[in-house]
Amino acid sequence: MSPNWWENFFHGVALDFWRAAISDEQTRAEADFIQKHLQLSPEAKVLDVPSGNGRLSVELAKRGFMLTGLDIAAEFVEEAKQKSAEAGLNIDWHHREMRDLPWTAEFDGAFCFGNSFGYLNDEENVDFLQALSQTVKPGARFILEAPAIAELILPNFQPQRSIELAGITTTIESRYDHKLGRMFNDFAFVRNGIEDKRASSQRIYTYKELIELLEKAGFETIAAHGSLDDEPFKLGAHRLLLISEKQ
């Protein structure tokens, strides 16, 4: 597997599957959570990284906030531009890799949703958090959705699972390498009898390791939730939503 698998994974059927997996209701609920826990004031400037097809940026921009979104998937960036244009929203879109953040103390808040953290190696993951830290103002909050951490993944580990959405059957075969602390996933997307195979890999940090990475990047953890309803995070939860503040 290429160490930079993420450069070529996100296109075509994989994106169609992702679009079908997220409902409008979930997008609104996530936007509610972000707005509440970033403590956004009217017209606050917010960074969405990576922004995917812009679903969260568009929803937050509709609420009056000033959004900047970036993503490595060109197909998603173009879709995001079209969505915002159709809605009459002025969102600053960028086709960039998630560590390529050229701003300094620009944003009042930032978020990283969609299980997008951990694709890189340890040094590169630190680079992302440090780059992001430089983009936000002191006192600004950052929300990291991190469902792929040890306390979530390992108690519920499934070596194989299948999901069918929007006419796409997706089979995922997973292998955990305890020496590397990484999960390796082989995806097989089948649509109209045509199979498309792709591989991915993700670093599985422990909660403690993740907190330490944020601290090194200049963030102090404020809260850890296991759901959008503010349930406390605990072993075996289905997601982790970490709220931290730039020192």
Side-chain angles (χ1 to χ4, degrees):
M1 179 191 301
S2 167
N4 295 342
W5 62 267
W6 34 269
E7 292 180 342
N8 300 308
F9 187 95
F10 298 102
H11 63 89
V13 66
L15 299 190
D16 290 339
F17 181 81
W18 177 250
R19 292 181 184 99
I22 306 296
S23 67
D24 291 341
E25 181 181 7
Q26 180 176 338
T27 295
R28 288 191 292 270
E30 290 179 349
D32 289 343
F33 184 92
I34 291 167
Q35 180 177 348
K36 173 184 176 182
H37 289 287
L38 286 185
Q39 298 182 337
L40 298 177
S41 59
E43 298 186 352
K45 300 182 71 174
V46 185
L47 177 64
D48 177 2
V49 53
S51 53
N53 66 352
R55 63 186 185 88
L56 287 168
S57 284
V58 168
E59 178 62 30
L60 288 165
K62 288 178 179 178
R63 303 179 185 196
F65 304 113
M66 300 174 65
L67 271 294
T68 295
L70 66 92
D71 202 279
I72 197 170
E75 184 179 334
F76 258 175
V77 173
E78 290 306 312
E79 181 179 337
K81 289 179 178 179
Q82 182 177 347
K83 280 185 176 182
S84 58
E86 290 173 352
L89 300 170
N90 183 21
I91 299 176
D92 187 19
W93 300 113
H94 296 264
H95 179 212
R96 294 177 181 267
E97 199 265 339
M98 63 193 297
R99 290 170 292 171
D100 184 12
L101 306 176
W103 304 277
T104 301
E106 179 78 11
F107 299 102
D108 302 300
F111 60 92
C112 176
F113 266 55
N115 192 27
S116 302
F117 180 77
Y119 294 167
L120 310 173
N121 63 35
D122 285 344
E123 183 178 335
E124 293 167 339
N125 288 327
V126 169
D127 289 343
F128 163 65
L129 292 176
Q130 291 180 339
L132 186 139
S133 178
Q134 293 177 4
T135 71
V136 297
K137 301 173 183 177
R141 289 189 169 190
F142 168 51
I143 303 177
L144 174 62
E145 182 192 20
I149 70 165
E151 289 86 350
L152 304 187
I153 291 290
L154 300 185
N156 304 304
F157 176 71
Q158 299 179 53
Q160 182 173 329
R161 60 195 188 277
S162 293
I163 308 167
E164 185 169 356
L165 285 172
I168 305 168
T169 300
T170 304
T171 301
I172 310 166
E173 295 185 356
S174 301
R175 175 179 62 86
Y176 177 66
D177 187 320
H178 60 275
K179 293 181 180 179
L180 298 176
R182 294 190 75 91
M183 189 75 72
F184 293 88
N185 301 305
D186 291 321
F187 287 80
F189 301 99
V190 179
R191 178 167 57 185
N192 299 326
I194 300 173
E195 183 178 63
D196 187 335
K197 291 185 175 182
R198 304 183 195 181
S200 75
S201 170
Q202 193 163 10
R203 179 70 162 89
I204 308 299
Y205 291 104
T206 65
Y207 178 89
K208 181 176 183 295
E209 288 173 330
L210 193 52
I211 296 298
E212 290 173 349
L213 292 182
L214 286 163
E215 288 177 350
K216 289 179 181 178
F219 289 102
E220 179 184 354
T221 300
I222 302 297
H225 297 292
S227 74
L228 295 174
D229 296 322
D230 292 350
E231 295 177 84
F233 172 73
K234 62 182 180 181
L235 181 68
H238 293 295
R239 70 195 306 181
L240 169 61
L241 297 154
L242 268 177
I243 302 163
S244 58
E245 186 174 282
K246 171 69 178 295
Q247 299 304 293

